[in-house]
Amino acid sequence: LYTFHPAGFSQVNLSMAEVMLEQARMLLSPPGDAEFVDLYCGYGFFSCSLAKDVASVTGIDYDRNAVEYAKNNMKRLQCECRYRFTSAAIEPEILARTLQRGRTGEYMLLDPPRRGTQPGVIETLAERKPAKVLHVFCGAETVPAELKRWDECGYTVQKISVLDMFPGTANLETMVLLG
């Protein structure tokens, strides 16, 4: 369904991609009037899939090419919700400037690189008081520290889903729902 830049990141296990998208949809369960914020959005893997369930989508990724592909994927898939994609680093100061203020009913998904989020990102997101957050981890290394930061901001683990997106390796994708 999606097009993406040849040098960009993409989920490579196509047999599990739909399972991952369905898990995200089930865990977040956004209502129709929700504002969906997709951080590290890439070419719109989650954004395009969840667009049919929400009122609006905001996607941010540092990769300018990926953001252009996300916009094109939304157009090509004829998504009817409002959407806005921005190419920017996912850092506290930039998030504070880029994400619109005053929203209620935000549902967030963040799928950062293996090294995790920058210092202050989780705290900046938690200040917005999203209804639900789905944090996707590419490896187990960052899970304890990132979840501790969420906990310190008042968000607790609601559900966990583990997916074997990399068969034959020890790596797993871990989706953690926080509320």
Side-chain angles (χ1 to χ4, degrees):
L1 293 175
Y2 305 113
T3 60
F4 52 90
H5 192 273
F9 173 80
S10 174
Q11 292 295 339
V12 295
N13 186 347
L14 297 180
S15 66
M16 288 295 290
E18 189 62 35
V19 173
M20 185 178 214
L21 292 171
E22 283 306 312
Q23 282 294 302
R25 177 175 284 108
M26 185 211 50
L27 290 168
L28 275 175
S29 300
D33 62 347
E35 310 284 345
F36 178 58
V37 177
D38 187 3
L39 302 175
Y40 312 91
C41 68
Y43 60 85
F45 181 71
F46 292 107
S47 297
C48 292
S49 176
L50 287 159
K52 65 183 177 192
D53 300 331
V54 298
S56 72
V57 170
T58 299
I60 304 173
D61 197 286
Y62 66 91
D63 184 339
R64 183 172 286 121
N65 288 324
V67 167
E68 288 305 312
Y69 276 88
K71 291 175 187 176
N72 291 335
N73 284 327
M74 287 291 248
K75 286 178 193 168
R76 195 173 51 73
L77 295 170
Q78 300 176 341
C79 295
E80 295 181 15
C81 74
R82 294 183 322 272
Y83 60 89
R84 180 173 64 99
F85 290 97
T86 303
S87 176
I90 313 277
E91 298 173 352
E93 306 78 34
I94 293 172
L95 289 174
R97 282 195 319 262
T98 305
L99 293 175
Q100 296 175 359
R101 290 279 176 213
R103 289 185 166 190
T104 58
E106 278 185 330
Y107 286 68
M108 292 186 176
L109 185 146
L110 55 155
D111 188 4
R114 185 170 293 277
R115 69 181 175 279
T117 62
Q118 294 288 326
V121 166
I122 288 172
E123 296 76 8
T124 299
L125 297 175
E127 285 175 9
R128 298 178 65 78
K129 301 192 181 341
K132 290 184 182 180
V133 176
L134 186 59
H135 192 135
V136 181
F137 295 91
C138 298
E141 312 80 40
T142 60
V143 173
E146 301 264 288
L147 290 183
K148 181 179 184 210
R149 289 169 55 203
W150 280 111
D151 185 62
E152 289 169 351
C153 292
Y155 282 80
T156 58
V157 174
Q158 305 295 307
K159 292 183 182 177
I160 298 173
S161 178
V162 180
L163 300 171
D164 187 0
M165 299 296 287
F166 314 101
T169 73
N171 298 316
L172 297 170
E173 291 272 332
T174 305
M175 302 173 87
V176 179
L177 181 67
L178 300 145

